[in-house]
Amino acid sequence: MAEAFKTFAPYATVLAALVTGLVVILQWRAGRRAQQQDRKQEIFAAAYEACIEYAEMAYAVRRRRTDAAAEERIRLSEQLREIQIKLARYEAWVRFESPDVGNVYADLVRLTRQVAGRSIKDAWLGTGAETDPSMVIPSSVVDLNGLAAPRERYMAAVEVHLRPHRRFRLGRASLTSAPGSTGA
């Protein structure tokens, strides 16, 4: 028995080194994957935030100051320009990260521009806020409820992409189809 230990002792050292190396590589890969997931979460969240910023401009334009109309027009149009640049950048970036999520995000951006864009246009055609009560904007004036479903589809697509083990529970067909479509 002692003779067998002497024969395999050099191999045991090599085997231990190989196992240790394998464990280190697996830990490194797991850490790298976690970093990639964190990076993707930040990208997807920032893209979502850009859509929210655009939609919120419907309120900002309605609440613009009337005593400094020219300055407000420049300030708000510059904000809109910056948000439009963000939307375009994130549309490309999200599509690069995941074509599936990118398609859903493109739909969200398109619908946000339709729904919120209509409210922004109407706000520019109206007067700004002159009194405190005019700061209260009812949903009958700015109605962004049409964005609830596309926002949920985007969040579901992000979840499927970031947590693929939950794919079967969520169902992929519902992520890429708009309401009223067949999903095919």
Side-chain angles (χ1 to χ4, degrees), residues 13-169:
T13 304
V14 171
L15 183 62
L18 287 173
V19 168
T20 301
L22 181 62
V23 168
V24 168
I25 289 171
L26 291 175
Q27 285 178 335
W28 174 79
R29 286 191 64 181
R32 176 104 167 114
R33 178 153 168 70
Q35 287 175 340
Q36 287 176 340
Q37 288 292 93
D38 289 346
R39 181 186 60 79
K40 285 182 180 185
Q41 279 180 320
E42 288 180 25
I43 291 166
F44 293 147
Y48 184 79
E49 182 180 346
C51 283
I52 299 297
E53 285 179 27
Y54 185 80
E56 288 297 313
M57 289 304 293
Y59 297 103
V61 172
R62 284 205 178 273
R63 292 179 176 135
R64 69 188 180 275
R65 293 177 49 195
T66 57
D67 62 335
E71 292 86 0
E72 283 293 273
R73 207 171 20 259
I74 292 168
R75 180 183 71 83
L76 292 168
S77 63
E78 278 301 306
Q79 278 185 326
L80 278 165
R81 184 184 67 78
E82 289 173 15
I83 294 168
Q84 292 284 13
I85 290 169
K86 279 186 197 178
L87 289 171
R89 178 177 64 234
Y90 285 120
E91 221 172 330
W93 199 349
V94 169
R95 186 174 302 265
F96 175 74
E97 290 293 335
S98 166
D100 289 343
V101 178
N103 289 335
V104 177
Y105 184 69
D107 285 342
L108 174 60
V109 170
R110 181 181 54 78
L111 291 168
T112 299
R113 284 179 171 147
Q114 275 180 2
V115 173
R118 189 177 322 115
S119 290
I120 292 169
K121 178 185 170 195
D122 292 345
W124 280 119
L125 296 174
T127 60
E130 296 179 18
T131 64
D132 288 343
S134 65
M135 296 294 281
V136 178
I137 302 170
S139 61
S140 61
V141 175
V142 175
D143 184 9
L144 302 177
N145 288 324
L147 297 175
R151 286 174 177 172
E152 283 301 315
R153 281 194 300 276
Y154 174 72
M155 298 302 280
V158 168
E159 183 177 6
V160 165
H161 180 73
L162 294 177
R163 296 175 185 86
H165 62 280
R166 298 181 76 178
R167 228 175 258 232
F168 299 107
R169 185 176 64 85

